[in-house]
Structures are given as structure tokens and as C-alpha cells.
Amino acid sequence: MSRKSIVVTIIVVIVLLVADVAAASVQNHKAADAFVASQHLPASPYVHINGWPFVLQGIRGSYRYITVQADPARTSGDADLDVHPMRLSLYGVHTHGGFADATVERATGTARIGYRSLSKGLGKRVVFAGADRISVTSKTTVDGRTYRPSVSARPEVSDGALVFHQVTTTDQKGLPSADLKTLEQIFSGRFELGRFPFGVHPTKVTMLPEGMVFRVTGHDLRLG
């Protein structure tokens, strides 16, 4: 192959690469707009369609791997929890006339929910207590003496809800046991998390100082 042919080939490859990147960028924005509408997101998410060449994926309407970061997002249902942020990897995305009615073979990611949202749902201020635990502190006065008992628990995920294990209370001498039992009731039931965007569901939760980080997953999802 002559030097001229090599140069021409390189130029053609560069032009194709630039065109492919430009087309992917446009489609990223279209996907983001579609996800705002279909997933009821408060703001446009970051979307990146991975894989090359993009054009062939676009023609087929099938995408191997799409990265999505929604910040903020929100669960729906009775809980209505704020999510900051939600990071997802969508595998095997197939569009049917557009991303608004796409299907996803598999999705994995994380969703962080702050303690403020959990506090609203439980009706008490919840704080990080270390070692995968959270705690609630109350204030009560008995016979002129003020007590500040606290109760802590280790949350786990069970069928789309939080359940609380290893519930313990601080030793408050002189405080009636009935008051401690009332405080323990905060962590006695299930706390429904609601429906997460993109149809994923939580499988595990980790307590961090900045909030609860949920591992989320899903299979055979329809986004429309």
C-alpha cells in the first residue's frame, strides 16, 4: 500500500470515528430526555452509551451497555425517598421506537438515600451509629429529671423494605421501661422503600456516614 493510500485510510478512519462519537453524543441526550419522562426523574441524568461502533448499535436499536447516573432521583409509592445519586449499568438495552419504551436485559448499580429521608419516614431523626448501624435519640422528662435515651439497630433489606435487627437501647437508670419500649417500637416493623426508578430493586444495604447505600439490580426490565 502506497503512502498516499495509507494517509487516505487514516483520514477516513478519523472521520468515521468523529462521526460515530458525534452521533453517540446526540443519542445520549435523547436517551436522557426519554428517561426523565419515563422514570419521572426530577432532572436530566447523565447517560453514556458504551461500545463501538455506535452507529451500528443505533441502526439495530440494540445497545450492549449504557451507563446512567441520576442525581437526584426519587422512589415512588408511600415512601417517596430522595436518592442522591443513583448509578446504573444497563446491559442489553433494546429500543422499540425510542428509549422511552426500551427494554433492559440486566441492570446493576447503587442508590444512596440520605438519613434525612429515612428520618421523615420514621418520624424521628436518624443518624449513622457506625458498624452498619443507625440510631435514634429521644428526650423525655420524668419526675423533673430529663433523659435522653437512644435506640440503635442494624438495617437489612428484605423484599423491597428495610427491616431492623439487633435493636439495642442505652441504659437509662430511673427511666420507666415503658418509655424505652416505646422508643424501641421505631425499629419494630418494616419500612417500605417504594419503587426505584428503572424498575430495579434493592438487594443489600450498607450504612455509611453520608447515607444508606443500596445495591440494586434488575432483569428483563421495561422502561416505558
Side-chain angles (χ1 to χ4, degrees), residues 39 86 195-201 217-219 221-223:
Q39 304 307 307
M86 180 180 223
R195 182 184 182 276
F196 283 75
F198 296 89
V200 296
H201 60 273
T217 187
H219 294 84
L221 306 174
R222 179 171 289 278
L223 304 186

Side-chain angles (χ1 to χ4, degrees), residues 20-206:
D20 197 73
V21 170
S25 178
V26 171
Q27 204 68 357
N28 287 338
H29 289 293
K30 288 184 177 181
D33 291 341
F35 293 157
V36 167
S38 66
Q39 304 307 307
H40 309 289
L41 300 176
S44 182
Y46 166 81
V47 176
H48 180 70
I49 300 174
N50 301 273
W52 188 88
F54 164 79
V55 171
L56 293 182
Q57 296 184 86
I59 292 174
R60 293 194 300 264
S62 294
Y63 304 88
R64 292 187 293 273
Y65 168 37
I66 296 179
T67 303
V68 179
Q69 177 171 313
D71 189 7
R74 185 175 293 117
T75 67
S76 59
D78 294 336
D80 193 26
L81 303 173
D82 294 325
V83 182
H84 298 277
M86 180 180 223
R87 297 186 176 97
L88 293 177
S89 296
L90 309 179
Y91 300 95
V93 180
H94 307 286
T95 59
H96 309 277
F99 284 97
D101 193 29
T103 56
V104 179
E105 295 177 11
R106 180 171 65 92
T108 61
T110 59
R112 189 180 73 195
I113 296 176
Y115 297 118
R116 180 177 296 180
S117 284
L118 182 60
S119 299
K120 290 179 181 178
L122 292 176
K124 292 285 186 179
R125 182 173 180 266
V126 178
V127 298
F128 176 64
D132 254 357
R133 297 179 69 83
I134 57 176
S135 68
V136 170
T137 299
S138 182
K139 180 180 178 181
T140 184
T141 301
V142 178
D143 296 331
R145 182 180 175 183
T146 299
Y147 297 88
R148 288 181 173 82
S150 65
V151 58
S152 68
R154 180 174 58 82
E156 291 185 358
V157 174
S158 175
D159 296 328
L162 281 181
V163 293
F164 305 97
H165 298 286
Q166 300 176 7
V167 179
T168 60
T169 55
T170 57
D171 183 17
Q172 294 283 311
K173 293 182 179 180
L175 181 66
S177 59
D179 291 272
L180 288 177
K181 290 295 183 182
T182 299
L183 189 60
E184 290 176 356
Q185 288 299 312
I186 295 172
F187 294 137
S188 64
R190 291 167 55 87
F191 182 80
E192 298 295 336
L193 296 168
R195 182 184 182 276
F196 283 75
F198 296 89
V200 296
H201 60 273
T203 58
K204 183 180 180 181
V205 62
T206 301

